[in-house]
Each structure stands twice: as C-alpha cells, then as structure tokens.
Amino acid sequence: MPAGLAEAVSVLLDAGEDRGHRRVWARPGRAHIEVRGLNGRGERHERLAREVTGALRRVQGVTWAEVNAALGQVVVGAEEDRLDVDGLLELVESVEEAHGCGGEPFAGNRPHPPFDTVPAVLAGTSLVADSLGLLMAAARQVTPLPVFSPVLRLPVVMAETQPRLRRMLEDRLGRVHAEMVLAVGHACAHAATAGVAPLVLDGVQRVWQLAEIRARQTAWHRLERELVGVAGEGLPRHARERQPRPVPLPAGPVEKCGEQTSLASLLGAAGVWAWARSPEAAAQAILATVPKAAGMGREAFCAQWGRDLARDGVVPMNGAVLRLLDRVSAVVIDSAVLCTTHPRLLSVTATGGLDEAAVWAATQTLLADLSPRRLCGPGPWNDVRGWRLERTADAPQARPAAPSGLPLDLRAPDGRYAGRVLVGCDLDPLA
C-alpha cells in the first residue's frame, strides 16, 4: 500500500477520545513531534519533559530542543542538512517506553494545530465521496439504474442538521471525524436517490474548507520560525489547567434554528402522514424544513474568513473557534496581551527649571532597565546616577499596560521634583 494511502487510512480509523496517530511536522532544521504523557503539568510532565529534551539535545546536529506544553509536543532545532526525523522519532519512543507511557494513546480533545494533516485528509475524503456520489446521482438520471425514495436521505440529513444528534456523534468520534462520516453518509444517500443539487453544494463547501486548511498551512510554514522564536523561547513550558465553563456554551443562531424547527417539522410531517397516508410525503415535509442552508451559510462564511485571515498572517491554532464566533455576545480584551515586554515613554511634563528634553532623556535611561512587570510594583525605581521614578498619589494602582498608561513622578539626583511622565507599553506587532 502506498505511504500516502496508508496514512489516509490510519487517519480515517483514528477517531474518538483517544488517538494513536502521532502528530509530526518537519521542515529543514525544525521538527515538531507529539509526545505521549506530556499533559502540561505535574511531576510526571516535568520529568518526561526534562528527559526527552535532554536526550534530543545530545543528538549530533541538534542545536536545541524545547517542550510545547500546550500541544504536548517537543520542538527540535537542528542543522538543516542533519535533521533525521526518523531517528528523532525512535529516540522519543524510547523515552516514552522508559517512562511507562509508550502504550498510552494521545489526547483526543486537543485541537488540530495548523500543520496537522488530519483535517485536510478528512475534508479530502468528503470531497471524494461527494464527487463519486455526484457521478452516481447523475448516472441514475440518464440510465435505467433504479432511483430510490428520498426517504433514504432522512436519517443522515437529520443527524447532520439537528444539534442534539450531531453533538452525540461529535462526542463519540470528534468534530472533524464526525463531519467526515456525515459527509460520506450524505453522499451515499443522495447518490442512491439521484440528489444532484445537494451533492454539488456539498462539494463546493468541501472545496472552500480545503482552501481554508491549505491557506492556514501555508501561513504556518511562513510564520513558524517567528511564532516559535529563537531556540524555542516563545514556547510554553507548562499548560494551565483548563477550568470548566461556569455555564454551558450557549446555542448559536444555527443551533437555535435547528432546535426550533425540529419539533415543528415532526409535527408537520405527522400532519401530512395523517392527511395523505404517505410516508414519502411525510419524509419530504421533514426534508423541506431542515435548516441545512443556515449551517452551510455559516460554514461558507467561516471558511472564506479563515482563508483571508491566513493570507493576512493570522494563524489560529484551532480553526474550529471561528465557527463559535456567532455565539459571542461580549468581547473582553486584557490590554496586557496586546503589548510587548518593553515599557514606552508616552509623554513628559517638565518642572523645576528642567527642559522636556532632559526629563525625557533621564526617564528613557531609567526605563531601559525596567520591565512592565517591575513597574507594576510599588516602586520607587532608581538608576545609578540617582534619578528616581515614583508612583503618583492620584494613581496608586495604575499599570503600564492600562489603556490610560502609568503616570509617574520623576525626581532628580538631589531630590528635586523634575516633572511628571506617562509610561505605557509598546504594542505587539501581531496584536
């Protein structure tokens, strides 16, 4: 069996809460390798992270190795012509075995990172199923092949559009695998019932999804070095424990539409059945009222939006979050995440006979050795020449990352009041 086909089959079968498929991404001089047992916290994680990075750093040609606890991976930097990914995988597997986690599955609830091939393989499988189904449906319209009743579409359409049924399938298989199973079932049902138009629309949706995935992968290839940083200093060594939501995730407009129309469609179908005594007419009534257009509209919008974001250099680590934004009712942004770790002098007001240039220069010298975190403390802050910054009486709790900045009083070496300055933070270029 060709390697690509074997990988596709393993991806298709690797569904559910626990995965056996290891996520690996490599380019010249860099490799991201998923490691069993790296859950982001605890003594076992610390020990395993220390052992696996230490073993990889001892490999000839490897320049550094660091853990990405958020994704349960180890990232390796090496000389471009000396990166042996297969050898690194064998070494990682031996460390896993030594720590007793060699047979453990990978966590199935982690999001698919942008370099993961699984979403593309599953979307491609759905597109192939739609294409084959379209050929069969078209053939049934021009050949003597039997055309079955549209009643056959009912189970898959209901599972695809009714939130509760779909949620049960997603909890069992995972979101992307459940979507692939529904797509294949959709293609089979419409191929048997000569449903050409639904298969055309579904195929267009798969093309949009694949374009979004490819754009995200391209953006990752372009920005990976910048996101990881030099020698992996931008990687999280620990992952915070994920707290449960205080309330369940609210239903979005599409989900509300599905919930509201499900009962109405069943009642309408029952009325049609009672009036016409025809199961096929009742099934047609249900098919006519399912909110499939709402779900396809959201998916088309999010796929195009995700593609545009990737082209602009935005790399979401979990593309599924774009499908939740129609449920957002309020946005709260911590201003600190929009800033770098370097303070910035915003303005000065000089007093005591000093000009603004002198106050500006003295303050810049002081800030060169300070970080925003230190400036969140009580102060004061001195330099070797005796200049001093201290908190003002009217803003005792202000922070540099606050929208209004941090006002400070500047004192000269002789203790004389030299003026007031306003300190903020440099905006992160990716903010």
Side-chain angles (χ1 to χ4, degrees):
M1 181 183 295
L5 182 57
E7 180 186 6
V9 171
S10 68
V11 166
L12 295 177
L13 298 177
D14 195 27
E17 182 68 21
D18 299 323
R19 293 183 292 109
H21 178 75
R22 187 191 301 271
R23 295 169 179 171
V24 179
W25 180 85
R27 69 184 302 170
R30 188 70 57 84
H32 295 242
I33 302 172
E34 193 170 22
V35 182
R36 291 181 172 89
L38 283 182
N39 61 357
R41 54 193 172 274
E43 182 180 349
R44 183 194 186 194
H45 167 83
E46 296 285 351
R47 186 170 60 252
L48 181 57
R50 186 168 55 252
E51 290 290 334
V52 74
T53 54
L56 290 169
R57 289 166 186 162
R58 292 191 291 271
V59 175
Q60 192 172 10
V62 171
T63 56
W64 59 269
E66 295 292 345
V67 163
N68 182 351
L71 295 179
Q73 297 174 341
V74 62
V75 184
V76 181
E79 300 173 17
E80 291 195 359
D81 56 344
R82 303 183 67 178
L83 181 62
D84 180 12
V85 179
D86 292 334
L88 297 181
L89 284 172
E90 292 179 2
L91 182 57
V92 169
E93 289 172 355
S94 66
V95 174
E96 291 172 345
E97 291 289 344
H99 283 263
C101 52
E104 292 184 6
F106 297 102
N109 55 0
R110 284 193 178 120
H112 293 277
F115 53 80
D116 193 6
T117 58
V118 170
V121 170
L122 296 179
T125 302
S126 301
L127 180 59
V128 170
D130 285 331
S131 301
L132 295 176
L134 181 60
L135 290 176
M136 290 296 297
R140 290 182 188 277
Q141 291 186 347
V142 297
T143 65
L145 289 173
V147 177
F148 296 95
S149 168
V151 175
L152 288 178
R153 304 179 188 176
L154 192 58
V156 67
V157 172
M158 292 292 291
E160 190 177 18
T161 57
Q162 299 307 315
R164 294 182 182 179
L165 296 177
R166 186 174 184 124
R167 196 178 306 120
M168 291 173 57
L169 191 60
E170 290 179 350
D171 291 342
R172 179 83 175 176
L173 301 177
R175 189 187 68 84
V176 291
H177 277 85
E179 188 172 334
M180 184 273 298
V181 169
L182 289 172
V184 173
H186 178 274
C188 293
H190 285 80
T193 57
V196 173
L199 287 172
V200 171
L201 293 174
D202 209 50
V204 171
Q205 177 176 310
R206 303 305 166 195
V207 171
W208 280 337
Q209 289 176 342
L210 279 170
E212 177 195 8
I213 294 169
R214 297 303 184 195
R216 191 177 302 138
Q217 290 174 338
T218 300
W220 168 262
H221 277 264
R222 188 173 72 252
L223 299 172
E224 183 265 345
R225 293 190 184 277
E226 181 181 345
L227 294 172
V228 171
V230 179
E233 77 274 5
L235 298 172
R237 272 61 169 182
H238 304 88
R240 295 182 180 180
E241 186 175 359
R242 189 171 184 178
Q243 299 296 325
R245 288 183 56 89
V247 295
L249 184 69
V254 176
E255 288 72 26
K256 291 178 181 178
C257 181
E259 295 285 357
Q260 293 169 358
T261 59
S262 58
L263 179 59
S265 63
L266 291 176
L267 292 176
V272 171
W273 194 344
W275 178 265
R277 301 294 180 181
S278 170
E280 184 168 338
Q284 290 283 17
I286 294 177
L287 292 174
T289 56
V290 294
K292 186 172 177 62
M296 293 190 70
R298 178 174 65 184
E299 183 60 34
F301 174 82
C302 292
Q304 183 61 44
W305 189 28
R307 185 180 180 185
D308 292 341
L309 286 173
R311 288 176 172 177
D312 289 339
V314 178
V315 186
M317 296 304 292
N318 182 8
V321 298
L322 300 180
R323 277 74 181 169
L324 298 177
L325 292 181
D326 59 352
R327 310 183 188 196
V328 173
S329 57
V331 178
V332 180
I333 299 177
D334 182 358
S335 58
V337 304
L338 305 178
C339 303
T340 67
T341 57
H342 305 292
R344 180 177 184 178
L345 183 57
L346 301 177
S347 66
V348 300
T349 303
T351 60
L354 294 176
D355 61 7
E356 289 190 354
V359 174
W360 193 283
T363 307
Q364 287 280 42
T365 304
L366 270 163
L367 293 177
D369 298 324
L370 296 174
S371 66
R373 177 172 294 183
R374 285 188 61 191
L375 289 171
C376 290
W381 302 273
N382 304 298
D383 67 3
V384 294
R385 300 177 302 162
W387 290 92
R388 184 172 78 251
L389 284 172
E390 57 188 30
R391 285 191 171 273
T392 62
D394 55 344
Q397 303 298 326
R399 300 177 300 134
S404 57
L406 170 65
L408 296 172
D409 289 333
L410 178 68
R411 298 281 179 178
D414 58 3
R416 181 167 43 113
Y417 180 69
R420 174 158 300 190
V421 302
L422 184 64
V423 179
C425 290
D426 272 332
L427 285 178
D428 192 299
L430 296 179

